[in-house]
Amino acid sequence: MRILIVDDESLNRFLLVHMLEEAGYTDCFEAETGREALQLAEKIKPDLVLLDVIMSDMDGYTVAPLLKKMAGDIYLPVIFITAKDDQTALVRCLEVGGDDFATKPFDRIILTAKIRAHARTRLLSKRAHQQNTELNYFRNGVEREHAIVEHIFANALTINDATKQFFDYRLAPASTFNGDLFLIEPSPSGGMYFLMGDFTGHGLASAIGALPVARAFQAMSRKGVSVSEMSKTINKTLLALLPADMFFAAVVTEISASGHQFAVWNGGMPDLSVIAPDGTVTKKFTSLHMALGILEADEFEENVEYFDAKLGDRLIGYSDGIIELTNVKEQMLGEEAVMSWLASDPTMTVEEISHRTEKFRGNAEQLDDITLISYTCQSLSELKPEFATTQLPFEIAVDLTAEHLTEFDPVYDIVVMVCSQLGLHSVRSDLSTVLNELFINSLDHGILKLNSDIKKTTEGFFEYFELRTQRLSELNQGRITIKISFEPKLKVLTIHVTDSGVGFDYESIKSGHDSDAYGRGIPLIRELCESVNYYAQGRSVCVTIKV
């Protein structure tokens, strides 16, 4: 322990040094004046100061606060050496920063006991100062890292300027980083995609998965891929990235260039509702799938729901942070409350809905991230991009035998081949949907001889797919031929699909109802294609898609 003795009398200094050395304190320094004490303290950084009150140049009352200031935040014990015993002088010693007294003549036992006591306090102060320094360093590092991450998120998770004008939305994170995600991107066909999702929990740990999802979504939007392909790709990405206890509930949606046709994949999110101007709910896209990042590729279900709304209808969606919002009485808001608000006032804006939810929450803490979106069906003509298409006419022909049909799904590869040509990526989503429906009809009804009427009940669904799996595994003959040609002058893709099966009664399927669990395939094809013609008892079909 380094002790500084400040006294203008050499005899006092000698006695103190001798006394302290006997007690084991051998690291002692002497100063005769206040100025000398300050200079020496700056150099040696003492752990304790024995300071005389009365000195020739600067008295102890002046020196003590200067010594304390030099010590900074670390406790420096100053024990005044004094022969005075009047209370006024002792009180002043404490007022200027003194911590104790040592009266003359010195009592070695009492003095060393005081030094030991103040040494313990000094040690605790140094430890606390070191810990605070380390904490400040760590906090500064964390703040710097957060600033970097916020900057990255701000640039990576931006909502496209061209499309955000069509949406009314609100994002309200429960902490600095948002575990919810909302992105909108234009599609090459002139429509747009949007992704609304909710990672497990909230905060930075939840938000970190948003970066690869956003990049994948933006890249696939530029290519014009289908909603089913998007959901499958994002699932594969998150499955490799996220820990086992974390997943991403999400709605992936494509809005057609007309502005009122929807293709929706919902995995684990609250219902996405279509509401007519009079407040009637005309369609609910309920969650039919597991959240993303849970199922392996061979277990993943990519089937999509389609709906043709009307201009003026609203599409309303939200994360569970809205419906699971609780007030100070721990009452939950619930979906019924939100839908009743919209039923009573179909024109209610997102801001007005948010105001009502905040009023319900009151002073209760927001425990989860909140996302609320609204889209009104309208023309998206201004999103239609201008791009060149290939001037080369071409034809792709694929002849699939029973061996091919039982081993893989050819649709993806064919779509990639077609859309690799200049400008044809603009119809990738429609082509993928149409070709997939045509292929499934030929395989299921033509080759495997399955009847969709089985799917009228839930039990029938399971029976249908069990039969499909069984017949597919036993298939040893059958053929499906797919021919796709492009006429650059007309900008038309023509698709022929022919199977060697028994055909099916395509004329009985005039239109599908949105409440039906089956039978939407052919009506959907008619909506997406310029022309649809079946012949040869349903064994052949020819459709055209305008590019």
Side-chain angles (χ1 to χ4, degrees):
M1 184 177 185
R2 190 169 294 142
I3 299 175
L4 174 60
I5 301 168
V6 186
D7 198 314
D8 57 357
E9 293 187 14
S10 59
L11 178 59
N12 286 338
R13 296 199 304 274
F14 173 79
L15 290 173
L16 285 170
V17 169
H18 180 69
M19 187 182 298
L20 292 173
E21 286 179 346
E22 284 187 342
Y25 298 106
T26 58
D27 199 9
C28 297
F29 297 84
E30 301 177 45
E32 187 174 353
T33 65
R35 288 188 177 84
E36 184 183 345
L38 293 172
Q39 293 172 356
L40 191 56
E42 181 70 30
K43 181 179 178 181
I44 68 170
K45 302 291 190 274
D47 296 306
L48 183 141
V49 179
L50 294 171
L51 178 62
D52 190 17
V53 175
I54 300 173
M55 292 181 291
S56 57
D57 60 340
M58 299 172 64
D59 60 24
Y61 302 132
T62 305
V63 175
L66 296 175
L67 289 170
K68 289 281 190 177
K69 185 177 180 180
M70 290 170 61
D73 295 332
I74 301 176
Y75 171 65
L76 174 64
V78 175
I79 300 176
F80 274 102
I81 301 168
T82 178
K84 297 182 177 183
D85 57 0
D86 67 282
Q87 291 182 349
T88 302
L90 297 178
V91 167
R92 190 179 177 194
C93 287
L94 295 175
E95 288 175 346
V96 298
D99 301 290
D100 213 331
F101 307 97
T103 56
K104 304 173 186 177
F106 305 115
D107 185 308
R108 182 176 64 84
I109 295 175
I110 294 176
L111 179 61
T112 54
K114 288 184 176 183
I115 290 174
R116 281 196 298 271
H118 285 291
R120 289 193 296 270
T121 306
R122 163 80 172 178
L123 181 60
L124 290 173
S125 176
K126 291 175 75 173
R127 287 176 179 171
H129 182 268
Q130 182 179 356
Q131 289 172 350
N132 286 336
T133 301
E134 292 172 353
L135 286 172
N136 284 334
Y137 178 81
F138 176 75
R139 184 184 64 191
N140 291 336
V142 169
E143 289 177 353
R144 172 60 179 161
E145 290 173 356
H146 275 212
I148 293 171
V149 173
E150 284 187 61
H151 177 80
I152 294 172
F153 273 55
N155 286 279
L157 305 182
T158 54
I159 295 177
N160 188 285
D161 289 335
T163 53
K164 69 180 181 181
Q165 61 178 311
F166 297 102
F167 277 82
D168 185 13
Y169 62 92
R170 177 181 181 244
L171 304 173
S175 59
T176 303
F177 297 100
N178 199 345
D180 282 5
L181 181 62
F182 178 57
L183 298 169
I184 323 168
E185 290 291 330
S187 70
S189 65
M192 57 185 171
Y193 302 93
F194 75 83
L195 169 68
M196 180 176 62
D198 180 7
F199 282 94
T200 310
H202 58 270
L204 179 58
S206 298
I208 202 70
L211 294 176
V213 169
R215 286 304 186 207
F217 175 75
Q218 290 160 356
M220 288 187 288
S221 297
R222 287 191 292 271
K223 293 178 180 179
V225 305
S226 65
V227 167
S228 59
E229 189 178 337
M230 274 191 178
S231 58
K232 182 168 62 175
T233 302
I234 295 172
N235 180 74
K236 183 179 179 181
T237 300
L238 293 179
L239 192 64
L241 176 68
L242 298 180
D245 61 344
M246 190 174 175
F247 53 83
F248 181 50
V251 169
V252 186
T253 302
E254 182 180 8
I255 304 173
S256 69
S258 67
H260 57 83
Q261 292 175 325
F262 304 111
V264 178
W265 186 94
N266 187 348
M269 288 290 285
D271 294 347
L272 201 64
S273 303
V274 179
I275 302 176
D278 63 359
T280 304
V281 177
T282 58
K283 174 65 177 176
K284 278 185 176 288
F285 294 100
T286 59
S287 173
L288 301 177
H289 307 285
M290 297 283 283
L292 298 168
I294 297 176
L295 298 177
E296 297 290 342
D298 59 344
E299 301 172 308
F300 187 76
E301 296 178 345
E302 58 189 87
N303 51 301
V304 171
E305 282 193 275
Y306 299 92
F307 183 70
D308 190 2
K310 297 178 181 179
L311 293 175
D313 287 355
R314 290 178 73 190
L315 184 69
I316 298 289
Y318 38 75
S319 63
D320 59 11
I322 283 276
I323 58 178
E324 294 179 2
L325 191 72
T326 54
N327 59 19
V328 291
K329 296 180 181 179
E330 297 186 354
Q331 297 170 325
M332 190 175 292
L333 178 61
E335 185 177 14
E336 290 183 4
V338 178
M339 297 308 295
S340 67
W341 297 343
L342 291 166
S344 62
D345 183 5
T347 63
M348 184 179 293
T349 65
V350 164
E351 182 179 357
E352 290 168 339
I353 298 172
S354 299
H355 177 72
R356 289 205 182 189
T357 59
E358 290 303 305
K359 184 177 179 181
F360 172 83
R361 181 168 67 90
N363 295 323
E365 182 184 0
Q366 181 183 328
L367 300 176
D368 198 4
D369 305 311
I370 289 174
T371 300
L372 178 61
I373 69 163
S374 171
Y375 165 76
T376 300
C377 295
Q378 58 195 288
S379 172
L380 303 179
S381 57
E382 62 185 272
L383 291 178
K384 185 69 175 178
E386 294 292 335
F387 50 80
T389 56
T390 179
Q391 296 302 303
L392 181 68
F394 66 84
E395 181 177 290
I396 296 173
V398 180
D399 190 21
L400 302 165
T401 64
E403 182 182 358
H404 299 128
L405 297 174
T406 57
E407 287 184 353
F408 65 92
D409 182 349
V411 172
Y412 175 79
D413 291 341
I414 296 172
V415 170
V416 170
M417 280 191 287
V418 173
C419 294
S420 65
Q421 304 305 304
L422 179 65
L424 296 190
H425 67 292
S426 64
V427 295
R428 179 166 178 167
S429 179
D430 287 353
L431 176 61
S432 178
T433 301
V434 169
L435 188 56
N436 188 65
E437 292 292 343
L438 295 176
F439 175 74
I440 288 175
N441 283 342
S442 289
L443 178 60
D444 286 14
H445 306 316
I447 303 296
L448 301 180
K449 304 176 184 178
L450 294 168
N451 190 337
S452 289
D453 287 343
I454 300 175
K455 294 188 284 186
K456 285 183 177 180
T457 64
T458 303
E459 294 77 10
F461 254 103
F462 287 106
E463 182 185 351
Y464 182 92
F465 287 107
E466 284 177 2
L467 276 173
R468 188 181 194 276
T469 302
Q470 177 189 340
R471 292 183 184 182
L472 199 58
S473 65
E474 297 171 352
L475 187 66
N476 53 30
Q477 62 180 0
R479 186 180 298 272
I480 295 177
T481 302
I482 300 173
K483 292 182 180 179
I484 300 178
S485 60
F486 178 64
E487 175 51 59
K489 290 183 179 179
L490 300 176
K491 290 190 174 182
V492 169
L493 273 173
T494 302
I495 305 168
H496 286 90
V497 179
T498 302
D499 67 72
S500 62
V502 297
F504 68 103
D505 187 8
Y506 61 90
E507 291 184 344
S508 65
I509 307 175
K510 298 297 184 185
S511 63
H513 296 285
D514 300 299
S515 58
D516 290 345
Y518 67 99
R520 283 286 296 158
I522 294 178
L524 176 63
I525 293 169
R526 292 192 176 112
E527 289 173 8
L528 297 177
C529 297
E530 290 288 304
S531 64
V532 179
N533 293 296
Y534 276 92
Y535 50 95
Q537 291 78 48
R539 293 192 298 274
S540 293
V541 60
C542 177
V543 304
T544 57
I545 298 176
K546 190 73 175 177
V547 176

